[in-house]
Amino acid sequence: MKTVARVLLGAFLVFAGLSHLFWARSTFQAQVPTWVPLDADFVVLASGVVEVVLGLALVFLVRRRVVLGWVIAAFFVAVFPGNISQFITHTDAFGLDTDTGRGIRLLFQPLLIAWALWCTGAWAAWRSRDSRVEPV
């Protein structure tokens, strides 16, 4: 089940990354917070490339899945301010044209983080390492 979830997450990341690069580029630009000191198009293109690379790595670099789980979770944390900005600025994108819709989307980011940590075994590896530590 974890393998299927890992491959699905990888496919999701590749799809999202490709959408950054091609068909939804302007929509993603609308989500880049104005306080980011970089060109919005650059941010969208760079994050798209990162998503494609992470997605492919998640599918094909099975031996590195634990490290990838932490990296992907960190990536999801890093892009979360864009989702918050979309909510705060009331920016319509991806059919999210209400505060309720944008607010519900915010709730999914922690689920993506948990998905990355669970399906890669990153969370389990951290917990098992922690349990081997001898008490002082």
Side-chain angles (χ1 to χ4, degrees):
M1 190 158 153
K2 283 185 180 182
T3 299
V4 171
R6 182 178 47 77
V7 171
L8 282 173
L9 181 58
F12 166 77
L13 284 165
V14 169
F15 178 81
L18 291 174
S19 69
H20 277 69
L21 300 175
F22 299 109
W23 59 89
R25 196 162 153 186
S26 61
T27 305
F28 280 108
Q29 289 173 4
Q31 291 186 272
V32 177
T34 56
W35 51 263
V36 172
L38 300 169
D39 177 65
D41 193 44
F42 172 78
V43 172
V44 169
L45 291 172
S47 61
V49 168
V50 169
E51 282 180 317
V52 169
V53 168
L54 288 175
L56 291 173
L58 195 56
V59 172
F60 296 109
L61 300 179
V62 178
R63 290 184 174 178
R64 302 283 186 226
R65 71 184 182 282
V66 171
V67 171
L68 285 166
W70 289 110
V71 171
I72 291 166
F75 176 78
F76 287 148
V77 169
V79 299
F80 193 53
N83 298 344
I84 294 170
S85 175
Q86 182 183 8
F87 179 77
I88 291 171
T89 61
H90 311 285
T91 303
D92 296 343
F94 301 107
L96 301 172
D97 55 1
T98 66
D99 286 341
T100 302
R102 290 183 285 267
I104 290 170
R105 181 178 183 205
L106 291 176
L107 301 174
F108 281 96
Q109 205 71 9
L111 294 176
L112 286 172
I113 293 165
W115 183 5
L117 295 175
W118 172 75
C119 75
T120 60
W123 184 253
W126 180 74
R127 288 191 62 199
S128 68
R129 182 189 72 120
D130 193 43
S131 67
R132 291 190 305 240
V133 175
E134 302 259 344
V136 178

